[in-house]
Amino acid sequence: MKTIIFNVFVLMAIIPSLWVALSSNIVHAAFSLLFTLFGIAGLFVLLGADFVGVVQVIIYIGGIMVLIIFGVMMTQGARLSPLSVNLPGRLLAAGLTGIILAVLMVAATHFLWPVGSAPPPPTPASQAIGNLLLGKYLIPFEVASLLLLAALVGAVLIVRHSVRSDLSPSVFIIRRKQRGE
Amino acid sequence: MNGLLGKKLPGRAVPMIGCVSVFLSFWIAVAGFFTLLGIEEPKERLVIQSLYQWLLISWDQGRFSLELAFRMDPLSAVMCLVVSGVGFLIHLYSVGYMAGDDSQPRYFAYLNLFTFSMLLLVLADNLLVMFVGWEGVGLCSYLLIGFWFTDLDKARAGMKAFIVNRVGDFGFFVGLMLLFWTLFETSGGAVTGLSFGQLQEAMPRLITARPIWNIEVATWVALLLFVGATGKSAQIPLYVWLPDAMAGPTPVSAFIHAATMVTAGVYMIARLNFLFLSAPAALAVVAIVGGVTAFGAATLAVVQNDIKRVLAYSTISQLGFMFMAVGVAAFSAGIFHLVTHSFFKALLFLGAGSVIHAVHHNDLRHMGGLRRYMPWTFLTFMAGYLAISGVPPLSGFMSKDEILWAVFTSHLPVPGLGKALWALGLITASLTAFYMTRLVILAFAGTYRGTPEEAHHLHESPPVMTGPLMALAVLAVIGGAMGLPAPTHLPHALESFLKPVLGDHGGSDPVVHAYGMEVLLMGLSSAVAVAGICGGWLCYVKHTEIPARAASRFAGIYRMLSRLFFVDELYQFLFISPLVKLAKIAGHFDLNGIDAGVNLTSWLTTKLAVLVGWEDLQVVDGVVNGLAGVVQKCGDQLRRLHTGKIQHYLYSVAFGLFGLYIILLLL
Amino acid sequence: MTYSLSSFLMVSSLLFCLGLFTVLTRRNAIGVLMGIELVLNAGALNFVAFSRFLEAPEGAPLISGQVFALFVIAIAAAEAAAVIAIVLSLYSMLKTVDIEQYQQLHG
């Protein structure tokens, strides 16, 4: 039973990602990515990381993917050159990627990982995660929050100065304010 | 003080400082003299005071010490009294003579410096300190002769004096070195010093030293020292500077060239009597030179028209007498004549200065009848004139006669030389009387032969000038009392006073003595003096045409005399012209040879600099530029990495990753 | 076959390589971003897989991997925001999201 679910989730992760890589339509690629992320979330849950899986769905899919789709929309890239890099580039990339894949596969299967007979993580894992976040990994936690703040401020800054056209009224208003009105 | 501050002091102060300082010296000399007299035992009359140690060299066998030491004994006491006493009178006289001259501070400073050097010379305890004073007086003589140096002729006269003097000094110094060297050698390196006491002790060593070129060392030393004396005291062959030295102010001539500096040579020989006695040959040379000089100078004095030149040649002549005296080992007689000569010669010079002060020129042919206008000058001049002519019983007669007696009775190496020299001296004495009479008559007697305006200005000199004249006149008259001759059976004060220093070789020897002979000779010398006077009177008063006739009859001799035996021309030909030519050649060499060398070097250096500059430009700059070019090319190549294409950058990331895997795998 | 660590690792490496391929071949800037997201997710999957299967001290389960996965998600979010901002400003400047056109850094 578990195996079947595992396989389903794996397929759900990989096949759309193929579509992300190879599709010529960027919108298709974006939505395929969505499905891939769902599959990965399922794999997370299978591994006992229920909290992480849910977070993945909420934030990654609900936040980042939406952002990406917004970006696709705004830049109207779908209308422009939809093609990926021409053939020689793709072949080179395929070759390189293939080698790396081979190496990784070999590493994954033939390496003797120090696998232990560990009990599955507690469900829900949120309590344990919470303990770790505010205990052992407090500093990375704070740093991560700082990073998010920086990203937020930076993104706003970058967009504010360069947007000339009235892409959105809010940006326009901000520009007006900038002029000291 | 005068030298440094003189220009700023008030006019009256400058001469006062000059005179007061000499007066103080005189009093100290008097005090010293009486102190010496106070010491009962004559042999003990000796005070040596060492101021400080100049030089001390020590080695195994001994040590050599040179000190700045002074010696006060009868001889130096006498000399001190003469120098400071006569000097003071002359300083006083100078106040009047130099009044109105702007350079008074300089004058008095030089004069004081001279007095100092002369005192240093006579008070020295060793040869080297004496040499310092010796050189000092030479220097001051130069400074004072060329005092009015703005007149080129006067400046040249000063130069001539100094250079001729230096030639003599060179001889002196070589003699000094020879003395030192011989003492050093003979004592095996145990020379202790050059003071007179030590030298006297070292005499035996000197006598036994090995002769150089078959002449005894002592003779060499004595002769070389005598060369110095000829330069300083104007004997043959280094006398040529004295007549020209009359270019200086008359008080200078009186002091330096009558009383003091020129007597330094005589003093030196008297001081080193023990040395000269060890060298009889040298003594003979001294006597001969003295005699010939005395006679020659007297002949030249007859034809001079400049009042000071007559006196100059007279000085040379009298110095010749002094040298004759010491040449026959009559040291105290020589010193006696030195003292009396300083009295009457200074008097004569100062009197001449008084005359010059009145008529403003030196030419005898344009003087005359001055006795009416300048009575004091005339009277005092007469006193000096009689003294120098050897009229008894004035001082000049006493000393001159003593010399003549000593020369007559001397025992010189060459037999008969003494008598020959005596005869020469006698003739010279007669000539002395003759030319002095001529001078007195031409200057004071008769009528004035100058211009009428000058006649208006004729006046007697101020008391500050006539005062010293009178003092000196008194001394000239009574000075003979210190050396009364033996036949009178009166004590010869000077001789006995000087005996500890000069030994028993004074003029008269009481034991081996022929009083009769001496009285005869005294009478003879008096007679020739009177004869000379009468001759002068005849030629210049009674029959004034005689001189002119004699000049034309003996034209050749007259020409010789008036051209001073062509000695100056001879020296010019022998020495001066070749030297000047040599100097010119050297200069030529310097200009063309050395300067050319220097210019060549500089030219080479500039060319080299150009080369180096080129090298710097090409090579060094090439390296620098090349380096920059390489960097630029590298940059150009590396630039190509910046494609601007993101994909390329991403590819590089991927490749990097790939590389990492490889490395990990391999490791 | 039951799943094990290696199967998960295989999945994650496949996802990683696909993501890499996307990054290298996509001409659209957003497409590149999508590839980056794939790569990051592969990494997170790795973390969690290891946290599940790896040797644990004293029998207590290893949760650190999950914490790391959370961090990865946070960072991915920040990075995606920044990239979108950049792309948008580039788009407003150059009117294109074709990375072939982004040659300003050339030279």
Side-chain angles (χ1 to χ4, degrees):
Chain A
M1 187 63 192
K2 269 200 229 171
T3 324
I4 296 173
I5 297 177
F6 171 72
N7 288 336
V8 166
F9 277 133
V10 164
L11 283 173
M12 197 170 164
I14 289 182
I15 295 186
S17 65
L18 273 170
W19 200 253
V20 168
L22 300 172
S23 159
S24 45
N25 189 334
I26 198 76
V27 182
H28 289 181
F31 281 101
S32 313
L33 186 60
L34 200 90
F35 280 110
T36 307
L37 291 174
F38 264 119
I40 294 180
L43 285 172
F44 279 154
V45 172
L46 213 54
L47 282 168
D50 51 347
F51 182 70
V52 178
V54 172
V55 164
Q56 162 100 336
V57 171
I58 294 173
I59 293 184
Y60 223 119
I61 298 172
I64 295 170
M65 277 322 297
V66 169
L67 190 63
I68 287 176
I69 289 169
F70 260 119
V72 169
M73 249 176 44
M74 285 197 188
T75 59
Q76 297 165 11
R79 273 206 256 127
L80 300 171
S81 59
L83 295 168
S84 328
V85 173
N86 48 11
L87 201 56
R90 285 171 102 180
L91 277 179
L92 175 62
L96 190 63
T97 316
I99 296 173
I100 291 177
L101 180 64
V103 170
L104 283 173
M105 284 297 194
V106 165
T109 49
H110 291 298
F111 195 76
L112 289 170
W113 300 104
V115 180
S117 54
T123 50
S126 37
Q127 190 178 8
I129 289 178
N131 282 337
L132 275 178
L133 269 182
L134 290 172
K136 192 168 158 193
Y137 297 114
L138 178 62
I139 291 176
F141 179 58
E142 300 294 337
V143 171
S145 62
L146 267 176
L147 176 71
L148 286 168
L149 176 67
L152 176 68
V153 171
V156 171
L157 268 175
I158 290 171
V159 177
R160 213 174 68 151
H161 285 301
S162 63
V163 171
R164 300 276 191 276
S165 55
D166 22 45
L167 239 63
S168 70
S170 57
V171 174
F172 203 55
I173 291 168
I174 291 170
R175 268 191 66 230
R176 273 241 188 95
K177 271 211 177 139
Q178 204 186 337
R179 284 197 198 164
E181 285 183 38
Chain B
M1 264 172 65
N2 268 343
L4 292 172
L5 302 173
K7 290 236 160 56
K8 305 193 191 116
L9 294 172
R12 297 284 296 280
V14 163
M16 227 166 48
I17 296 172
C19 292
V20 163
S21 49
V22 182
F23 190 63
L24 283 173
S25 299
F26 177 62
W27 272 118
I28 296 173
V30 169
F33 175 69
F34 280 108
T35 313
L36 276 185
L37 276 184
I39 302 174
E40 284 300 328
E41 179 57 47
K43 283 254 160 38
E44 303 277 310
R45 283 185 185 157
L46 177 62
V47 177
I48 298 185
Q49 184 170 24
S50 174
L51 269 192
Y52 100 127
Q53 200 159 50
W54 220 346
L55 179 70
L56 177 64
I57 307 174
S58 298
W59 64 95
D60 304 325
Q61 293 99 337
R63 46 191 274 278
F64 181 74
S65 150
L66 197 62
E67 290 158 16
L68 187 67
F70 299 117
R71 165 189 275 252
M72 186 69 153
D73 64 11
L75 180 60
S76 52
V78 167
M79 294 298 296
C80 272
L81 282 173
V82 168
V83 171
S84 54
V86 175
F88 171 64
L89 291 170
I90 292 180
H91 274 80
L92 212 55
Y93 180 91
S94 302
V95 175
Y97 191 80
M98 298 294 285
D101 194 311
D102 287 328
S103 317
Q104 270 188 58
R106 189 161 57 100
Y107 175 81
F108 280 101
Y110 287 163
L111 213 59
N112 279 5
L113 184 66
F114 172 81
T115 316
F116 163 74
S117 301
M118 192 67 201
L119 286 171
L120 194 68
L121 199 158
V122 300
L123 282 171
D125 184 44
N126 60 55
L127 266 179
L128 273 156
V129 177
M130 188 165 107
F131 190 58
V132 172
W134 186 274
E135 296 277 1
V137 295
L139 172 72
C140 293
S141 166
Y142 159 72
L143 288 172
L144 284 164
I145 292 172
F147 186 70
W148 292 308
F149 53 82
T150 44
D151 184 337
L152 202 60
D153 283 330
K154 294 194 166 69
R156 268 208 212 105
M159 240 181 11
K160 183 173 179 181
F162 193 60
I163 291 176
V164 174
N165 221 278
R166 287 303 280 163
V167 174
D169 291 347
F170 175 67
F172 187 93
F173 197 63
V174 173
L176 191 63
M177 287 195 283
L178 183 62
L179 180 68
F180 174 72
W181 176 247
T182 311
L183 287 176
F184 186 78
E185 264 194 336
T186 54
S187 63
V191 176
T192 47
L194 282 175
S195 77
F196 295 121
Q198 290 166 327
L199 285 175
Q200 196 158 11
E201 284 163 5
M203 270 306 112
R205 291 211 308 264
L206 195 65
I207 295 171
T208 56
R210 192 172 32 89
I212 301 173
W213 301 338
N214 278 336
I215 300 181
E216 292 291 325
V217 175
T219 312
W220 274 116
V221 173
L223 279 177
L224 286 167
L225 292 175
F226 178 58
V227 168
T230 57
K232 194 68 71 193
S233 304
Q235 299 296 294
I236 292 173
L238 295 173
Y239 69 91
V240 292
W241 60 274
L242 191 55
D244 288 323
M246 295 300 118
T250 311
V252 168
S253 310
F255 194 24
I256 301 183
H257 310 126
T260 44
M261 181 176 108
V262 293
T263 58
V266 184
Y267 165 75
M268 185 264 293
I269 297 183
R271 177 59 85 190
L272 291 171
N273 56 65
F274 45 85
L275 171 67
F276 280 88
L277 284 171
S278 313
L283 273 184
V285 172
V286 171
I288 294 173
V289 169
V292 174
T293 308
F295 176 69
T299 57
L300 288 173
V302 174
V303 298
Q304 295 302 316
N305 291 320
D306 182 329
I307 188 172
K308 282 176 75 172
R309 284 201 176 221
V310 177
L311 293 173
Y313 283 105
S314 168
T315 307
I316 300 175
S317 178
Q318 297 302 307
L319 288 168
F321 267 104
M322 291 183 227
F323 278 104
M324 259 206 308
V326 297
V328 299
F331 298 108
S332 66
I335 296 294
F336 186 26
H337 196 57
L338 191 154
V339 175
T340 58
H341 175 264
S342 70
F343 293 151
F344 55 70
K345 193 41 73 61
L347 171 62
L348 289 171
F349 264 112
L350 292 183
S354 187
V355 167
I356 294 169
H357 191 77
V359 302
H360 297 297
H361 68 81
N362 294 4
D363 199 336
L364 279 172
R365 296 170 290 195
H366 297 127
M367 293 185 203
L370 290 174
R371 73 167 186 276
R372 272 187 284 274
Y373 301 97
M374 328 176 67
W376 285 115
T377 307
F378 174 64
L379 271 176
T380 51
F381 203 87
M382 284 300 288
Y385 153 67
L386 287 174
I388 196 176
S389 304
V391 172
L394 275 72
S395 57
F397 166 74
M398 299 290 177
S399 54
K400 199 182 293 189
D401 188 70
E402 194 172 324
I403 293 177
L404 288 173
W405 170 248
V407 172
F408 187 76
T409 56
S410 67
H411 302 285
L412 289 170
V414 179
L417 189 59
K419 309 285 192 295
L421 282 176
W422 171 80
L424 203 59
L426 206 61
I427 299 173
T428 309
S430 174
L431 275 175
T432 307
F434 177 72
Y435 66 68
M436 286 309 296
T437 312
R438 169 178 176 264
L439 186 133
V440 169
I441 291 173
L442 283 178
F444 292 101
T447 49
Y448 188 63
R449 291 185 292 277
T451 64
E453 314 95 68
E454 281 169 9
H456 275 297
H457 289 290
L458 292 175
H459 58 88
E460 181 60 270
S461 302
V464 74
M465 284 165 74
T466 53
L469 287 176
M470 285 189 270
L472 284 170
V474 169
L475 281 170
V477 170
I478 64 164
M482 67 172 105
L484 298 166
T488 58
H489 296 285
L490 288 169
H492 193 308
L494 190 65
E495 185 197 340
S496 41
F497 184 61
L498 290 175
K499 207 179 276 196
V501 181
L502 299 179
D504 267 326
H505 306 283
S508 38
D509 196 349
V511 178
V512 186
H513 208 89
Y515 281 174
M517 199 65 181
E518 193 175 349
V519 171
L520 175 66
L521 288 176
M522 272 203 286
L524 210 56
S525 41
S526 315
V528 296
V530 172
I533 296 175
C534 290
W537 182 76
L538 256 180
C539 289
Y540 293 98
V541 178
K542 258 332 255 298
H543 303 283
T544 47
E545 70 281 4
I546 294 184
R549 271 225 323 246
S552 53
R553 278 259 333 258
F554 302 102
I557 300 178
Y558 184 70
R559 199 162 144 267
M560 278 280 272
L561 290 177
S562 57
R563 295 301 301 275
L564 313 170
F565 296 115
F566 299 104
V567 171
D568 276 326
E569 285 82 350
L570 185 72
Y571 283 171
Q572 176 81 16
F573 173 73
L574 275 182
F575 303 114
I576 300 177
S577 303
L579 277 174
V580 169
K581 278 206 193 73
L582 196 68
K584 281 211 180 93
I585 291 176
H588 200 71
F589 171 68
D590 171 58
L591 208 58
N592 291 346
I594 296 177
D595 280 1
V598 170
N599 289 346
L600 183 71
T601 316
S602 74
W603 177 84
L604 274 175
T605 311
T606 51
K607 289 284 173 284
L608 196 68
V610 166
L611 203 68
V612 170
W614 176 87
E615 180 257 341
D616 172 61
L617 215 58
Q618 303 296 324
V619 175
V620 175
D621 284 0
V623 167
V624 170
N625 291 345
L627 218 63
V630 165
V631 170
Q632 195 173 25
K633 286 202 181 60
C634 285
D636 274 342
Q637 296 303 314
L638 285 171
R639 237 175 159 206
R640 282 138 128 243
L641 282 175
H642 286 251
T643 55
K645 289 191 182 172
I646 302 176
Q647 282 180 324
H648 293 176
Y649 300 155
L650 292 166
Y651 264 109
S652 53
V653 171
F655 270 111
L657 186 66
F658 174 59
L660 269 173
Y661 282 150
I662 303 290
I663 291 169
L664 279 170
L665 268 180
L666 287 175
L667 292 173
Chain C
M1 109 191 123
T2 184
Y3 55 81
S4 64
L5 178 63
S6 43
S7 41
F8 277 102
L9 289 183
M10 282 202 296
V11 171
S12 80
S13 29
L14 193 60
L15 279 173
F16 174 78
C17 290
L18 282 172
L20 190 63
F21 183 76
T22 311
V23 165
L24 291 175
T25 52
R26 276 278 174 204
R27 250 173 104 167
N28 194 321
I30 311 284
V32 173
L33 177 62
M34 289 195 276
I36 292 174
E37 300 302 335
L38 270 178
V39 168
L40 281 169
N41 270 288
L45 184 60
N46 246 3
F47 271 124
V48 176
F50 273 115
S51 95
R52 171 73 177 82
F53 286 111
L54 218 52
E55 186 86 29
E58 291 130 27
L62 212 59
I63 314 290
S64 311
Q66 297 182 20
V67 175
F68 278 122
L70 276 175
F71 280 131
V72 167
I73 292 170
I75 286 164
E79 169 245 341
V83 171
I84 292 285
I86 290 169
V87 170
L88 280 180
S89 37
L90 273 175
Y91 178 72
S92 69
M93 241 200 315
L94 300 170
K95 298 288 178 288
T96 177
V97 287
D98 185 353
I99 60 173
E100 296 269 327
Q101 307 295 323
Y102 293 160
Q103 300 226 12
Q104 280 69 26
L105 286 177
H106 180 60

